[in-house]
Amino acid sequence: MTLITVGDININYKIQGSGEPLLMIMGLSFSLLDWGNKFTELLAKNYQLILFDNRDAGLTSQSSRPYSIVDMADDVAGLLDALNIPKAHVFGVSMGGAIAQQFALKYPDKLDKLILGCTMAGGNCSQMGDIGGVMNGNLLDLLFTPTFIQNHRQELTEFLAETTPLHSRDAALQRQLQAFASHDTCDRLTDIQATTLIITGDKDIAIPRSNSDVLAAKIPNIKLEIIGDAAHGFSFSHPHITADLIHLFLQQPLNPEKTIMQDKPLAILKKFGEYAQIFNLLEPTKVAPFFHLPAMLMTSEQVAVMNSSEEVIGVFTVMMDELRVKNFKESKIIGDLQVTQLSDNQGQVVGVAKRFNDKDEEIEHFGFTYILRKIQEKDKLKDEWTIITGVIHEPERLSE
């Protein structure tokens, strides 16, 4: 335990890793232990993590008075001051995301980039889900999907045995609940200046995904990422995906004309993410820039070689027409992507995806393999990747 005095409380904190400072704000009731070891170890490879317990949680002091989310944002600013850290990236989840919003609004000079996880704006523009698990102790169903619980029950039982004793209780929990209930940034989100990433799970019952859509619609410089088959505890159930999304976001230059990413597999993953995002919202009139030409799309039934934007539009028009018949709504990537750099100028992404209709019923599932290469400008290879070949195949082929 390491305590530092901030205002009227002593805050328990932990520093892990090295690099740019990344302050992590935990949610309602939970302590810094609830981030889990795997997720924090992944982030600590590239960042100096500042983990801490909120007031009335973990080993931080219990508050002697009622307080608001703004007061908790003051705690964050005071902690950075006490640690002599003038500016940091901030990642807040759930109630911690509410604290992060208030911090972004009140202390913009102390904030670099902002990451909001499974959180909400509060007020009348948000929808709280079922957080009864915090009160009755049924945390597994609150945080994870039934499938994840079934496949990881022993690990989760051991994890909760370690973390639950540090959760807020009684009057301390009531004070946190009252603070969270008063949170409202509905009319101030447009004032957030920081470049912002929102991450949420598509199966979150505590703070449903619709709340992230509200945030994404109102915060100016925003990117929204939805993790498939994930619930409120996505950073624990999907640590690699979450850490990759955060790292890609934090390393993305503010000036799009300037590339600073040196890690090539991450650069490949970033480029694939951009293309996948386009594909998920695909309309035939927006297909022209999807592939670097010439390109090739292969399925088990056909091979389409495309040498012009008109040909690309034609191929995807047919695909989209077929999907619309099935009331196509979205595609979701299942599990981690396998990203490999094959050579100095060529990379490969392999994964599995599912397509859903507007009733959230699965239409089909398939494996995919994309080959990417660096863009060549005159006689020089740029440090940017583009898809040149896409192959759709049976998922079983991934194990070959």
Side-chain angles (χ1 to χ4, degrees):
M1 178 174 68
T2 304
L3 295 177
I4 192 167
T5 301
V6 175
D8 60 348
I9 59 172
N10 293 319
I11 292 182
N12 177 53
Y13 74 98
K14 176 183 178 182
I15 304 293
Q16 182 177 349
S18 60
E20 297 176 11
L22 171 58
L23 186 138
M24 315 270 281
I25 312 178
M26 184 42 77
L28 180 70
S29 175
F30 289 1
S31 79
L32 61 83
L33 295 182
D34 286 280
W35 291 109
N37 292 330
K38 186 179 296 183
F39 178 56
T40 54
E41 286 170 0
L42 288 168
L43 287 178
K45 292 178 181 178
N46 298 290
Y47 303 97
Q48 179 193 47
L49 301 189
I50 304 133
L51 312 174
F52 74 102
D53 296 334
N54 288 312
R55 58 170 61 214
D56 276 333
L59 299 175
T60 290
S61 305
Q62 291 203 1
S63 181
S64 60
R65 59 179 176 84
Y67 50 87
S68 67
I69 293 294
V70 176
D71 293 324
M72 301 180 85
D74 292 339
D75 293 341
V76 172
L79 176 60
L80 289 177
D81 289 342
L83 295 174
N84 294 315
I85 298 174
K87 195 172 188 178
H89 304 301
V90 171
F91 176 34
V93 295
S94 194
M95 184 184 75
I99 298 170
Q101 292 169 55
Q102 299 287 1
F103 179 82
L105 289 165
K106 189 171 181 179
Y107 300 99
D109 294 340
K110 293 181 180 293
L111 177 62
D112 198 337
K113 288 187 176 183
L114 176 64
I115 307 164
L116 303 175
C118 55
T119 191
M120 61 196 300
N124 59 12
C125 69
S126 299
Q127 174 193 359
M128 179 63 80
D130 180 6
I131 62 169
V134 176
M135 309 302 293
N136 62 29
N138 188 12
L139 294 175
L140 289 184
D141 291 339
L142 173 76
L143 297 172
F144 307 110
T145 65
T147 301
F148 186 80
I149 295 170
Q150 180 180 350
N151 294 336
H152 300 85
R153 188 170 294 277
Q154 182 61 36
E155 176 189 0
L156 292 172
T157 300
E158 294 173 357
F159 179 66
L160 290 180
E162 177 187 8
T163 58
T164 301
L166 293 173
H167 291 175
S168 304
R169 287 181 175 78
D170 304 326
L173 178 57
Q174 289 300 320
R175 285 190 293 270
Q176 283 200 346
L177 282 167
Q178 289 167 6
F180 197 11
S182 69
H183 168 64
D184 183 358
T185 55
C186 287
D187 297 329
R188 302 186 63 205
L189 292 173
T190 54
D191 295 330
I192 292 179
Q193 302 171 16
T195 303
T196 305
L197 170 67
I198 298 173
I199 311 176
T200 194
D202 65 345
K203 292 181 171 59
D204 192 335
I205 64 170
I207 299 181
R209 175 251 169 100
S210 58
N211 292 285
S212 293
D213 293 333
V214 171
L215 294 169
K218 295 192 174 189
I219 297 176
N221 302 309
I222 194 72
K223 182 174 185 181
L224 173 63
E225 296 284 359
I226 310 297
I227 301 179
D229 291 324
H232 202 58
F234 64 82
S235 62
F236 185 89
S237 62
H238 296 67
H240 290 279
I241 292 176
T242 307
D244 282 347
L245 289 173
I246 290 173
H247 183 53
L248 290 171
F249 170 70
L250 294 182
Q251 292 305 306
Q252 183 176 352
L254 295 176
N255 180 354
E257 301 299 321
K258 184 179 178 183
T259 301
I260 62 173
M261 187 179 300
Q262 299 300 319
D263 191 279
K264 300 304 186 297
L266 282 172
I268 295 170
L269 183 61
K270 175 179 180 292
K271 176 54 63 176
F272 179 80
E274 293 172 357
Y275 278 78
Q277 192 172 38
I278 295 171
F279 180 74
N280 193 37
L281 303 172
L282 200 60
E283 297 287 346
T285 56
K286 299 178 182 177
V287 172
F290 189 73
F291 280 110
H292 176 71
L293 299 172
M296 181 166 53
L297 182 72
M298 296 185 289
T299 70
S300 56
E301 289 78 28
Q302 69 182 79
V303 176
V305 179
M306 294 163 281
N307 294 293
S308 69
S309 60
E310 290 77 14
E311 289 174 328
V312 175
I313 291 172
V315 169
F316 277 92
T317 298
V318 173
M319 292 176 61
M320 290 302 296
D321 284 344
E322 291 177 352
L323 290 172
R324 286 193 184 97
V325 171
K326 302 175 184 178
N327 295 317
F328 169 74
K329 184 181 75 169
E330 60 185 337
S331 300
K332 299 178 184 177
I333 296 172
I334 308 302
D336 292 335
L337 295 172
Q338 303 168 23
V339 182
T340 308
Q341 186 174 1
L342 303 176
S343 65
D344 288 343
N345 69 335
Q346 200 167 64
Q348 175 179 275
V349 176
V350 182
V352 177
K354 291 183 179 180
R355 287 179 176 146
F356 296 84
N357 62 21
D358 57 7
K359 297 179 181 179
D360 284 326
E361 298 169 333
E362 181 183 334
I363 297 173
E364 61 182 346
H365 65 276
F366 54 92
F368 57 84
T369 299
Y370 282 92
I371 302 298
L372 305 92
R373 71 181 176 200
K374 283 187 177 180
I375 297 173
Q376 185 163 350
E377 191 174 81
K378 297 181 179 179
D379 296 327
K380 185 179 180 181
L381 288 174
K382 301 177 67 177
D383 201 14
E384 297 179 29
W385 299 82
T386 186
I387 295 174
I388 57 171
T389 304
V391 184
I392 298 174
H393 49 72
E394 293 296 321
E396 288 73 17
R397 287 187 53 187
L398 295 177
S399 61
E400 294 180 359

